Amino acid sequence: MLRTLLGEPPRVNSGVLAEAMESMAKAASMLRKEMAAHEDHDHEYRKLEIWTRGLISSLDELEQSWFAAAFFRKSVVAGYMDDMSSTEQGEYARYVYFYKDGFIRVFSLLDKLGTVLNNLYNLNTAKVKVHFSYFTVLRQFQLLQAHHPLADELERIRNSYREPVENLRKRRNAEIHYMNAEMTDDLWQRHQGLHDKIRLEDLDSHLEDLKQSLEMVCQSLAAAYRYGNEQWHKNKAASGLKSGHARS
């Protein structure tokens, strides 16, 4: 959607983004087939399908936010706020909007994935922390010693992207709990010299953190749904084998 508004061609999914999208779409399709073949009295399949489709939409929106932030960043050439023209200030404001939207979406999407994993594998994370996050769910996997292949892969992915995700977490916390993240930067600079011009934050470094965090989200989703799809097929095969033995 945003690419069209910005006059850019539609996105063609590739790499880990495509893998994540395809794994989730495959899971949603299997859930719909299961609902069509069998009655879903407790609506568990329906709930998981809705959550999965929600994750697909959320990932699409996160990628678009990163793309739009990178698009508007190209028009910001001044190194100081005071040196910007009114047009460039508008472009910078649009960059900030989509950058903020992106880093907030990173953690929102991860927490949604945590909810799916908690429900799917009966982790009972709410007993540890009522309002739990994705990272609490990862700790719960380790605590319960459950689903080692998935837990280990998700932890490996987390550790691979620890620095950029932590950078975004700090800016997210400043944005939500204290004040606008870029205002925090401005205040720090004002402390250094009251009458100095305000230098812009490192836009490229911040965008790279968002890009790396997007990759972390994609890899986590791909790993979680790839594992879930494999478990689904194994359980279906085992169920069919038992039915065959019962008939014979």
Side-chain angles (χ1 to χ4, degrees):
M1 181 182 69
L2 288 179
R3 280 176 168 80
T4 301
L5 293 175
L6 297 173
E8 296 290 315
R11 182 186 68 221
V12 177
N13 292 342
S14 61
V16 70
L17 175 66
E19 184 182 356
M21 290 290 195
E22 289 165 7
S23 295
M24 290 188 289
K26 183 178 180 180
S29 176
M30 288 192 301
L31 288 164
R32 286 193 295 271
K33 288 179 182 178
E34 193 66 24
M35 284 186 285
H38 308 286
E39 294 185 7
D40 184 26
H41 292 298
D42 56 6
H43 303 293
E44 281 298 309
Y45 292 147
R46 179 60 173 163
K47 180 174 68 176
L48 285 170
E49 190 232 351
I50 290 172
W51 283 353
T52 299
R53 287 194 287 110
L55 284 172
I56 292 172
S57 296
S58 294
L59 180 56
D60 176 57
E61 292 160 0
L62 168 56
E63 191 282 335
Q64 289 187 70
S65 292
W66 168 78
F67 178 85
F71 180 90
F72 288 114
R73 186 269 172 273
K74 295 174 185 176
S75 300
V76 181
V77 295
Y80 294 88
M81 184 75 72
D82 297 337
D83 294 340
M84 287 184 180
S85 66
S86 58
T87 299
E88 189 172 353
Q89 287 177 11
E91 297 293 271
Y92 173 69
R94 284 180 275 275
Y95 153 79
V96 169
Y97 177 88
F98 286 108
Y99 171 68
K100 287 181 183 178
D101 188 67
F103 69 60
I104 290 171
R105 286 183 183 278
V106 164
F107 297 100
S108 172
L109 199 157
L110 285 173
D111 289 347
K112 290 175 184 177
L113 174 59
T115 298
V116 171
L117 295 172
N118 181 68
N119 182 271
L120 196 58
Y121 300 114
N122 300 312
L123 299 177
N124 297 311
T125 311
K127 292 182 178 179
V128 177
K129 187 176 181 181
V130 176
H131 302 293
F132 59 85
S133 71
Y134 171 73
F135 302 103
T136 313
V137 172
L138 292 190
R139 289 194 293 272
Q140 188 71 350
F141 268 121
Q142 300 294 339
L143 181 66
L144 298 178
Q145 298 290 298
H147 297 276
H148 287 292
L150 174 60
D152 290 347
E153 184 169 8
L154 293 178
E155 192 66 30
R156 178 191 60 76
I157 293 168
R158 177 194 180 183
N159 289 332
S160 296
Y161 293 89
R162 187 176 291 272
E163 182 177 351
V165 172
E166 184 60 27
N167 290 341
L168 285 195
R169 188 206 294 271
K170 290 176 182 176
R171 297 187 70 79
R172 188 278 308 265
N173 289 345
E175 178 69 26
I176 293 176
H177 300 300
Y178 303 108
M179 60 179 66
N180 291 351
E182 71 276 9
M183 287 178 64
T184 305
D185 292 338
D186 295 349
L187 271 177
W188 183 85
Q189 289 190 53
R190 286 303 190 197
H191 280 302
Q192 308 309 303
L194 185 60
H195 302 292
D196 292 345
K197 291 194 296 185
I198 297 176
R199 186 174 63 252
L200 290 186
E201 67 271 25
D202 189 339
L203 306 188
D204 291 329
S205 174
H206 289 178
L207 269 177
E208 183 62 22
D209 284 340
L210 183 55
K211 181 182 178 182
Q212 292 289 314
S213 297
L214 168 60
E215 289 182 7
M216 180 269 191
V217 168
C218 288
Q219 288 193 24
S220 300
L221 287 166
Y225 274 88
R226 182 172 59 247
Y227 180 84
N229 292 341
E230 290 170 356
Q231 292 299 303
W232 181 278
H233 285 302
K234 287 179 181 178
N235 291 339
K236 291 290 288 185
S239 177
L241 186 61
K242 289 179 181 177
S243 297
H245 283 314
R247 285 194 297 271
S248 60

